[in-house]
C-alpha cells in the first residue's frame, strides 16, 4: 500500500467522480474528499463512499474455482487457465471459431476492453463478441451517428449545463442514478434557467423540475414529434441555422406535422397546454439542451426516439453552438470507452467500423496480423446471449451479470445453462458466475491502474492504491495467459500503460482518437477529452476537445442531418390479459445488477430488496395495501415483490428496480424486442398484469 492519499475515480457510474483513497491504521483504505475534480468537487453518493467495502476478502473471490462433480471447488491458477484454454480450443476445433463467444462489460477499463476485443478477434478468431454496454446507450449512439456523424455521450462538459437557458431531461433520474450531478441542474435553476423533466414517474429529479411531463412509457417519440410540430406552427424554427448547418429538414418537418398536439395528447397522456409550455420554455432562451437517458433509449424504437429529440435541437439551432446541444447521460462507468475500442460486435479500436477495409488495414497493422484474418461483425448483445447453447458452445465472460441484467432473464439463464462451457472473470461470485465451469478472481478498481472514459468523453486515469489479495490476478494477466496457451505468445502485455500505448496507435486517425493522450498527461491533468490526435512535428500537444461540433459536424459536408421519424407503437401494448405497463430503473443505493453493491451492508440497509411501485387507484382495484406482496406477470414470466403505493406514478403504469435476482427479478418480465438499428432491447416498456399474492 502507498503511504499517502492516492487520487483516483469511483468504480461505479459514468460520472467517474474523483476521490482520494487514504490508508487506515488497521489496513485497507477509506474514501476521502478530492475537491479538485470538476465533475463532483469532492461530493460522492453512498455507493462511492462505501466502494472500499467490496475490496474486503470477506465479500470477494480470492481463488479460482473449477466445477467438479457439479460443484465449484478451489483450484490453482494453472488448473483453471488450462481448463479454459483447453475448452476454447476444443470448441474452436470441433465447431469453428464462431462457436466461441466473448461477452464483456461496461465497467472494464479501456485497456481491458481493448485487449478483450483483440483477444476475441486475433486469438479466437471469433466474430461473436459484444458487451453489456449495448444495453446502456446504443440507441443514443446510433441516433448521434445518424445526425452528427459521431457519437460521444455528451459533446460538451457537464459544467456547461448550469450556464444554458433550459434543459429538457428525458427519461433520466440523476438524483438517484448519479447524485453528484444533480448540482449542475440545481445551479441551472439558481442562474435563472429552467428544467423540464420527462418521466412517467414523479422521481426525486422530477421534484426539482419547473415542468414535469408524464407520458405513457413508450411514447417519448410521439412527445418529441408533437413538440417539433408546435415549434413549426408557432414560427420558432431557426431558419437561418437550418439552411446553413443542416440537411434533410423538409422531410423531418413533414413527418412532425403529422403529429398535431391533440393527437399527441391522446398517445402520450400529456395535456396540450403542457406541450405548449414546454415549447415556450425551451425556445425563449438563447441556448438550451436536450439530455436523454435510458427512458427513451431502451425501446424498440429508441434510435428513432433519440433522432426526434435531436431534430428538436436542430430545428431550433440548439446544436453545435455554445451552451446548446443534444447529449446522452451514459450510465455505466466505462460505457463510453468500452465500446470505442473493440468490445462492440461491429467496432474496432478508435470507434472504427469493422466492415471498413481501411479501418481493418490500420488496426491489423498495429496488431501485426493480416486484415483478412479479422472476422466480420458479429451478433449484438441480446442476440449473442440468445444463441448460447445453439451455435455458440463456449463463452468467456468478463465483468457482466446477464442472469440479472439481461431482458427475458429467465430465458437467458436457461441459455447460459445450456452452454458446453462457461468461464467467468469477476470480482465476486455473481449469479452468472455461480453457473460457470471456471471462475477466475480478478482485480478491481483500487487494485489496478487503468483508464476510463466518462460520459463527457473525458479520458481519466484510475491509479492503483492497494495490493490485491493473494490469489487474485488482473484481467490483462488472464488474457495474456490464455493467449499464450492458445498459441499467441506476443501481443498481450500485462502492463496497462503498455496496452494503452498500443491503444493510442490503434485509435490514431479514428473518430475516437486517443493518440495524443498519455499516462503522463492524465496524471498531470484532470482528464483529456477525445478526440485528441497526435500533434504534427514541432506543434504543441493537442489540448483535447471538450466541445464538439462548434465549427462543423462530423459528416462529409459538415452539416447535421435531420432524420424523418414517425411515432409507432411499442413492441408490446396493453390488452385485456396484460392491461398495465411496466417500466424499470434504478434506486440510489444499488447499482446495475447489484453484484457488488448488494454485498455492502450500508447500501443494503438503505435498499434491501425489490418493490413494485403502483398508483393508489391500481392498488385499490387489486385490494393491495402498502407492503403487501404483489405479482407482476408478463408473457415471459412472473416476479413478486412488496407493493409501494404512490401518487408519483401514472395509474396505468408500475415500476420495478432491476438490481435483484430471485423471485423479485424485474428482468424476468422485460421484453427483448430489439431496435432495428441499435439492437437495444425494450427494457422500458412491456405489458403486464398485477395480482395480489397470499402472504
Amino acid at each position: 500500500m502507498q503511504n499517502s492519499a492516492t487520487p483516483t475515480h469511483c468504480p461505479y457510474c459514468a460520472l467517474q467522480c474523483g476521490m482520494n483513497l487514504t490508508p487506515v491504521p488497521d489496513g485497507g483504505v477509506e474514501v476521502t474528499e478530492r475537491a479538485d475534480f470538476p465533475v463532483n468537487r469532492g461530493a460522492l453518493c453512498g455507493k462511492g463512499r462505501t466502494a472500499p467495502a467490496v475490496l474486503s476478502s470477506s465479500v470477494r473471490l480470492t481463488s479460482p474455482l473449477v466445477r467438479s462433480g457439479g460443484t465449484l471447488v478451489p483450484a490453482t491458477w494453472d488448473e483453471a487457465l488450462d481448463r479454459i484454454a483447453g475448452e476454447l480450443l476444443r470448441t474452436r476445433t470441433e465447431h469453428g471459431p464462431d462457436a466461441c463467444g466473448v461477452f464483456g462489460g461496461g465497467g472494464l477499463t479501456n485497456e481491458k476492453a481493448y485487449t478483450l476485443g483483440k483477444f476475441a478477434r486475433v486469438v479466437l478468431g471469433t466474430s461473436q463478441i459484444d458487451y453489456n454496454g449495448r444495453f446502456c446507450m446504443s440507441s443514443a449512439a446510433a441516433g448521434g451517428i445518424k445526425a452528427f456523424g459521431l457519437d460521444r455521450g455528451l459533446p460538451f462538459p457537464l459544467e456547461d449545463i448550469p450556464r444554458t437557458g433550459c434543459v429538457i431531461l428525458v427519461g433520466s433520474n440523476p438524483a438517484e442514478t448519479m447524485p453528484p450531478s444533480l448540482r449542475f441542474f440545481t445551479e441551472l435553476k439558481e442562474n435563472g434557467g429552467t428544467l423540464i423533466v420527462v418521466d412517467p414517474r414523479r422521481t426525486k429529479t422530477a421534484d426539482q423540475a419547473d415542468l414535469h411531463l408524464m407520458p405513457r412509457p413508450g411514447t417519448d417519440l410521439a412527445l418529441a414529434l408533437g413538440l417539433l410540430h408546435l415549434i413549426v406552427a408557432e414560427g420558432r424554427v431557426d431558419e437561418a441555422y437550418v439552411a446553413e448547418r443542416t440537411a434533410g429538414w423538409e422531410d423531418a418537418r413533414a413527418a412532425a406535422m403529422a403529429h398535431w398536439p391533440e393527437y399527441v395528447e391522446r398517445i402520450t397522456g400529456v395535456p396540450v397546454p403542457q406541450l405548449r409550455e414546454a415549447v415556450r420554455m425551451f425556445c425563449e432562451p438563447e441556448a438550451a439542451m436536450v439530455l436523454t437517458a435510458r427512458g427513451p433509449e431502451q425501446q424498440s424504437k429508441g434510435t428513432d426516439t433519440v433522432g426526434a429529440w435531436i431534430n428538436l435541437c436542430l430545428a431550433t439551432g440548439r446544436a453545435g453552438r455554445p451552451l446548446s446541444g443534444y447529449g446522452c447521460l451514459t450510465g455505466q462507468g466505462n460505457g463510453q470507452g468500452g465500446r470505442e475500442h473493440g468490445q462492440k460486435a461491429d467496432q474496432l479500436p478508435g470507434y472504427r467500423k469493422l466492415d471498413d477495409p481501411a479501418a481493418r488495414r490500420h488496426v491489423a497493422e498495429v496488431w501485426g496480423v493480416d486484415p483478412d484474418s479479422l472476422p466480420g461483425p458479429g451478433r449484438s448483445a441480446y442476440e449473442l446471449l440468445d444463441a448460447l447453447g445453439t451455435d455458440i458452445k463456449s463463452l468467456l465472460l468478463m465483468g457482466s451479470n446477464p442472469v440479472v441484467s439481461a431482458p427475458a432473464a429467465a430465458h437467458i439463464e436457461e441459455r447460459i445453462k445450456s452452454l458446453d462451457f462457461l468461464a467467468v472473470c469477476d470480482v465476486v461470485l455473481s449469479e452468472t458466475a455461480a453457473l460457470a465451469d471456471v471462475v477466475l478472481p480478478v482485480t478491481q478498481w483500487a487494485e489496478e491502474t487503468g483508464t476510463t472514459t466518462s460520459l463527457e468523453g473525458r479520458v481519466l486515469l484510475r491509479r492503483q492504491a492497494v495490493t490485491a489479495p493473494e490469489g487474485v490476478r488482473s484481467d490483462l494477466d488472464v488474457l495474456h495467459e490464455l493467449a499464450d496457451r492458445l498459441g499467441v505468445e506476443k501481443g498481450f502485455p500485462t502492463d496497462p500503460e503498455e496496452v494503452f500505448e498500443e491503444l493510442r496507435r490503434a485509435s490514431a486517425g479514428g473518430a475516437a482518437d486517443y493518440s495524443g493522450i498519455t499516462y503522463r498527461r492524465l496524471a498531470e491533468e484532470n482528464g483529456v477529452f477525445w478526440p485528441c490526435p497526435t500533434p504534427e512535428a514541432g506543434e504543441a500537444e493537442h489540448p483535447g476537445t471538450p466541445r464538439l461540433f462548434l465549427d462543423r459536424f462530423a459528416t462529409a459536408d459538415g452539416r447535421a442531418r435531420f432524420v424523418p421519424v414517425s411515432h409507432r407503437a411499442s413492441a408490446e401494448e396493453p390488452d385485456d390479459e396484460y392491461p398495465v405497463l411496466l417500466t424499470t430503473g434504478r434506486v440510489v443505493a444499488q447499482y446495475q445488477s447489484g453484484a457488488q453493491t448488494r454485498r455492502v451492508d450500508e447500501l443494503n440497509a438503505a435498499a434491501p430488496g425489490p418493490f413494485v411501485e403502483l398508483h393508489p387507484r391500481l392498488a385499490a382495484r387489486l385490494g393491495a395495501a402498502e407492503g403487501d406482496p404483489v405479482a407482476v406477470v408478463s408473457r415471459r414470466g412472473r416476479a413478486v415483490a412488496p407493493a409501494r403505493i404512490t401518487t408519483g406514478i401514472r395509474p396505468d403504469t408500475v415500476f420495478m428496480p432491476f438490481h435483484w435476482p430471485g423471485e423479485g427479478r424485474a428482468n424476468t418480465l422485460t421484453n427483448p424486442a430489439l431496435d432495428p438499428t441499435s439492437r437495444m432491447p425494450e427494457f422500458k416498456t412491456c405489458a403486464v398484469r398485477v395480482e395480489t399474492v397470499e402472504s
Side-chain angles (χ1 to χ4, degrees), residues 435-590:
L435 302 178
D437 298 287
V438 178
V439 184
L440 299 180
V442 291
T443 52
Q444 52 182 310
W445 62 292
E447 300 162 350
E448 59 189 14
T449 294
T451 62
T452 62
T453 306
S454 75
L455 80 169
E456 302 175 294
R458 188 194 300 252
V459 185
L460 302 163
L461 183 65
R462 281 195 200 154
R463 298 168 174 86
Q464 181 181 356
V466 297
T467 301
E470 185 177 354
V472 174
R473 298 186 185 179
S474 79
D475 297 275
L476 294 180
D477 287 324
V478 170
L479 294 172
H480 171 84
E481 292 290 339
L482 290 177
D484 185 62
R485 283 166 167 79
L486 290 166
V488 181
E489 298 177 0
K490 296 181 179 180
F492 290 86
T494 60
D495 176 62
E497 187 169 6
E498 187 177 346
V499 175
F500 191 79
E501 287 300 304
E502 182 178 301
L503 183 158
R504 291 176 62 207
R505 298 196 304 275
S507 74
D513 190 335
Y514 283 33
S515 63
I517 304 174
T518 63
Y519 269 36
R520 175 191 60 77
R521 287 190 66 180
L522 295 177
E524 295 172 355
E525 305 174 34
N526 268 323
V528 178
F529 292 85
W530 71 260
C532 181
T534 302
E536 297 293 333
E539 293 183 353
E541 287 183 327
H542 192 284
T545 314
R547 295 169 182 86
L548 298 171
F549 314 138
L550 294 180
D551 299 318
R552 68 190 312 274
F553 293 97
T555 56
D557 60 5
R559 290 172 174 262
R561 300 289 190 268
F562 282 96
V563 178
V565 294
S566 295
H567 171 71
R568 62 182 185 274
S570 298
E572 193 173 78
E573 292 286 344
D575 56 21
D576 291 343
E577 188 176 1
Y578 301 97
V580 178
L581 289 167
L582 168 71
T583 192
T584 63
R586 287 170 47 189
V587 297
V588 66
Q590 301 289 353

Side-chain angles (χ1 to χ4, degrees), residues 69 72 188 193-194 216 255 263 275 278 309 336 350 389 398 400 407-408 414 446 492 505 507 566 607 624:
L72 287 171
L188 165 74
T194 54
R216 287 176 75 244
Y263 173 56
L275 299 176
W309 288 103
Q336 181 74 48
M398 285 187 168
S400 185
E414 290 305 310
F492 290 86
R505 298 196 304 275
S507 74
S566 295

Side-chain angles (χ1 to χ4, degrees), residues 280-624:
R280 183 194 66 79
M281 291 170 63
F282 184 68
C283 291
E284 285 189 352
E286 291 185 7
M289 299 174 178
V290 172
L291 304 177
T292 67
R294 305 303 80 75
E297 298 164 17
Q298 286 182 328
Q299 298 184 29
S300 60
K301 51 183 181 290
T303 301
D304 284 358
T305 303
V306 166
W309 288 103
I310 291 175
N311 287 349
L312 198 73
C313 293
L314 294 176
T316 53
R318 308 305 177 91
R321 284 178 166 173
L323 307 181
S324 287
Y326 163 80
C328 163
L329 296 176
T330 308
Q332 294 191 78
N334 197 32
Q336 181 74 48
R339 72 180 182 284
E340 291 169 1
H341 299 300
Q343 282 190 102
K344 204 156 169 264
D346 58 348
Q347 286 179 192
L348 287 169
Y351 226 141
R352 288 180 160 89
K353 299 297 289 183
L354 189 54
D355 56 5
D356 176 1
R360 294 170 67 87
R361 285 194 300 272
H362 174 86
V363 174
E365 183 177 358
V366 174
W367 288 351
V369 299
D370 184 340
D372 291 339
S373 71
L374 298 177
R379 293 179 175 93
S380 70
Y382 180 79
E383 292 166 303
L384 190 158
L385 294 171
D386 188 43
L388 300 180
T390 57
D391 55 331
I392 298 178
K393 306 295 185 181
S394 295
L395 182 69
L396 174 63
L397 184 147
M398 285 187 168
S400 185
N401 188 18
V403 165
V404 178
S405 64
H411 169 68
I412 294 304
E413 182 175 354
E414 290 305 310
R415 300 306 333 134
I416 290 171
K417 290 178 178 177
S418 73
L419 282 163
D420 291 352
F421 179 75
L422 172 64
V424 173
C425 301
D426 210 331
V427 172
V428 297
L429 191 67
S430 70
E431 287 72 24
T432 304
L435 302 178
D437 298 287
V438 178
V439 184
L440 299 180
V442 291
T443 52
Q444 52 182 310
W445 62 292
E447 300 162 350
E448 59 189 14
T449 294
T451 62
T452 62
T453 306
S454 75
L455 80 169
E456 302 175 294
R458 188 194 300 252
V459 185
L460 302 163
L461 183 65
R462 281 195 200 154
R463 298 168 174 86
Q464 181 181 356
V466 297
T467 301
E470 185 177 354
V472 174
R473 298 186 185 179
S474 79
D475 297 275
L476 294 180
D477 287 324
V478 170
L479 294 172
H480 171 84
E481 292 290 339
L482 290 177
D484 185 62
R485 283 166 167 79
L486 290 166
V488 181
E489 298 177 0
K490 296 181 179 180
F492 290 86
T494 60
D495 176 62
E497 187 169 6
E498 187 177 346
V499 175
F500 191 79
E501 287 300 304
E502 182 178 301
L503 183 158
R504 291 176 62 207
R505 298 196 304 275
S507 74
D513 190 335
Y514 283 33
S515 63
I517 304 174
T518 63
Y519 269 36
R520 175 191 60 77
R521 287 190 66 180
L522 295 177
E524 295 172 355
E525 305 174 34
N526 268 323
V528 178
F529 292 85
W530 71 260
C532 181
T534 302
E536 297 293 333
E539 293 183 353
E541 287 183 327
H542 192 284
T545 314
R547 295 169 182 86
L548 298 171
F549 314 138
L550 294 180
D551 299 318
R552 68 190 312 274
F553 293 97
T555 56
D557 60 5
R559 290 172 174 262
R561 300 289 190 268
F562 282 96
V563 178
V565 294
S566 295
H567 171 71
R568 62 182 185 274
S570 298
E572 193 173 78
E573 292 286 344
D575 56 21
D576 291 343
E577 188 176 1
Y578 301 97
V580 178
L581 289 167
L582 168 71
T583 192
T584 63
R586 287 170 47 189
V587 297
V588 66
Q590 301 289 353
Y591 181 71
Q592 304 300 71
S593 74
Q596 296 183 45
T597 51
R598 285 187 276 110
R599 288 166 168 79
V600 179
D601 291 342
E602 180 180 329
L603 300 179
N604 283 333
F611 57 86
V612 180
E613 192 174 273
L614 64 164
H615 192 275
R617 273 190 273 169
L618 178 56
R621 289 202 302 271
L622 294 169

